[in-house]
Amino acid sequence: MPDQPPPRTVDRVMRPVNTVVERFIPSALVFAVALTAVVAVLALVLTDAGPREVVVGWGDGLAGLLAFITQMALILLLGHTLAHTGPVRRLLRALGSVPSTPAVAYVFVFVVAAVASLVTWGLGLVVGALLAKEVAAQGREKGMRLHFPMLVAAGFSGFVVWHMGYSGSAPLTAATPDSFVSEQLGSPLPLSETTFAGWNILAAVLVVLVVAGALWLVSPRQADRVVQLEVDAREQDPDLDEEVVTPADRVDASRVPTLALGLLLVAYLVLHFADGGSLTLDVVNWTFLALVLLLVRHPFELIALTKNAASNVGEILLQFPLYAGILGIMTSSGLIQVLSDTITDVASPRTFGVLAFLSAGVVNFFVPSGGGQLAVQGPVLLDAAHQLGVDPSVAVMAVAYGDQWTNMVQPFWALPLLAIAGLKMRDILGYTTVTLLASGVVLAGTLLVVSG
């Protein structure tokens, strides 16, 4: 590679943060273990529970979210699978040819990734990485100087709105009958008061506009150091055609089984909504499964894509029982009430939303899954909101906003995207921090307004 100009200011400023993130932040699994210990100690110190009660509460709670764990795993699995289907990959190649200037390229990748994240977060993560590589490769062919780390950062920045969209785990859990949230509230919280509330939709649009403007402002200029994609590193479509020898192979290579099942799911979803059914986590998953079934060519392809996606699901499957155990300790010991009383002592109805948002942003460093975070923090904030007379939708969306907000500097969900792009967290952190700052103003301002 030829000599490059000195690193940009944003890279130099973020160097200490890069060092902390890469050297001192352990895996999310270790965080879950550490958080379990912290919550156990708090229960022993702040409540009347003894060691036996804490251990029993933890053990009884481990299996308390099994249905929820499956729902979360399916969202990621199906989103990843959908992003790798042939039609979606061809669409991304077509989109890769759209940007005509570097500044437009960065903003374009962000906006497309944001739209995909609003559809489903698993899709948004993969689309951000694949589109960044596609735009970088096609831009290089056109002679554009594109800073590949910023393209990838723009793709990951689209993830900053995922919890405001169709697959947002906090509002969907609150809307699902018999979930731990709806049981605490006494009834499901409809999505019309959270995801599809006018204020949330407006906030999502504003976040996209503000972050797009911020990324355009910090995008590399002509004299800045630019790290281009050195070779055409676009992922090639995998060969998903198995050898067809036996009659069973011919069935597995047929379009009929997946198409028939996909159409059956579509029919069910149409009847579900026609009969007045609501949008829940299960319905969201069946929607994406129907899309996958309709887009794949045959069962061979579906099996191969699912195996590829499954490698991204394992870690969260191991963490969620620990989050459920934490919830078990807090519930059985009465720690939820103690913590919610602490919040009500320092918050007012006007400031509750912002304080809940900031606390959710901090908790996200330790519980980087939106669903897991809701399990740990949701009951506390919902109880505090009830005591302060604040609408429960504010508490639910404060968890959602805080979770998606600090994802920008939390490496957990960036890892699949970085693996696809072949980069490290330090390569994109300067730009995702810009996204953190720009989106934080909009998200905090929204909760300040609606809390009153």
Side-chain angles (χ1 to χ4, degrees), residues 105-414:
Y106 304 124
V107 172
F108 180 76
V109 169
F110 162 69
V111 172
V112 172
V115 172
S117 295
L118 287 169
V119 175
T120 171
W121 55 275
L123 177 68
L125 276 177
V126 180
V127 162
L130 296 179
L131 183 60
K133 295 179 74 171
E134 195 66 46
V135 169
Q138 294 196 36
R140 187 179 181 89
E141 293 169 359
K142 297 175 185 176
M144 284 194 290
R145 292 178 69 253
L146 290 171
H147 190 41
F148 184 56
M150 183 168 181
L151 281 174
V152 176
F156 184 56
S157 292
F159 198 48
V160 80
V161 294
W162 83 268
H163 222 142
M164 307 166 90
Y166 189 70
S167 67
S169 52
L172 282 172
T173 303
T176 300
D178 300 325
S179 70
F180 63 93
V181 176
S182 61
E183 287 180 357
Q184 181 175 351
L185 294 176
S187 63
L189 183 66
L191 289 176
S192 59
E193 298 182 22
T194 52
T195 301
F196 298 128
W199 56 268
N200 180 64
I201 295 173
L202 177 60
V205 172
L206 288 176
V207 167
V208 172
L209 292 176
V210 171
V211 172
L215 291 176
W216 182 84
L217 288 174
V218 301
S219 61
R221 302 304 187 237
Q222 193 63 32
D224 288 327
R225 178 177 181 264
V226 168
V227 177
Q228 292 183 278
L229 192 66
E230 293 190 12
V231 295
D232 187 347
R234 287 174 289 191
E235 289 188 9
Q236 301 299 315
D237 290 337
D239 183 8
L240 301 174
D241 292 316
E242 299 281 346
E243 185 179 2
V244 178
V245 178
T246 67
D249 291 337
R250 284 193 287 274
V251 174
D252 285 332
S254 170
R255 184 78 175 86
V256 174
T258 51
L259 179 61
L261 188 59
L263 292 175
L264 182 62
L265 260 179
V266 170
Y268 164 74
L269 292 169
V270 170
L271 292 173
H272 172 79
F273 288 115
D275 293 339
S278 60
L279 191 62
T280 64
L281 279 168
D282 291 329
V283 172
V284 167
N285 278 324
W286 305 149
T287 302
F288 295 131
L289 178 57
L291 286 172
V292 169
L293 290 167
L294 294 176
L295 293 178
V296 297
R297 292 173 296 161
H298 42 61
F300 274 142
E301 181 179 9
L302 178 60
I303 292 169
L305 291 177
T306 303
K307 286 181 179 178
N308 182 43
S311 62
N312 294 286
V313 178
E315 190 172 358
I316 67 169
L317 288 178
L318 192 58
Q319 292 171 42
F320 264 99
L322 296 180
Y323 300 146
I326 290 170
L327 178 59
I329 294 174
M330 293 196 301
T331 302
S332 63
S333 67
L335 185 60
I336 287 177
Q337 185 64 47
V338 173
L339 295 177
S340 64
D341 288 343
T342 302
I343 293 175
T344 57
D345 287 341
V346 299
S348 67
R350 168 64 71 181
T351 62
F352 170 80
V354 174
L355 292 176
F357 163 67
L358 294 174
S359 68
V362 173
V363 170
N364 184 51
F365 278 97
F366 305 96
V367 185
S369 162
Q373 183 171 346
L374 179 68
V376 172
Q377 194 178 18
V380 176
L381 293 180
L382 285 168
D383 191 75
H386 175 72
Q387 293 186 52
L388 290 169
V390 176
D391 194 287
S393 63
V394 175
V396 170
M397 295 312 290
V399 174
Y401 287 9
D403 164 69
Q404 66 185 12
W405 178 49
T406 50
N407 275 336
M408 293 299 98
V409 290
Q410 217 288 4
F412 181 74
W413 291 115

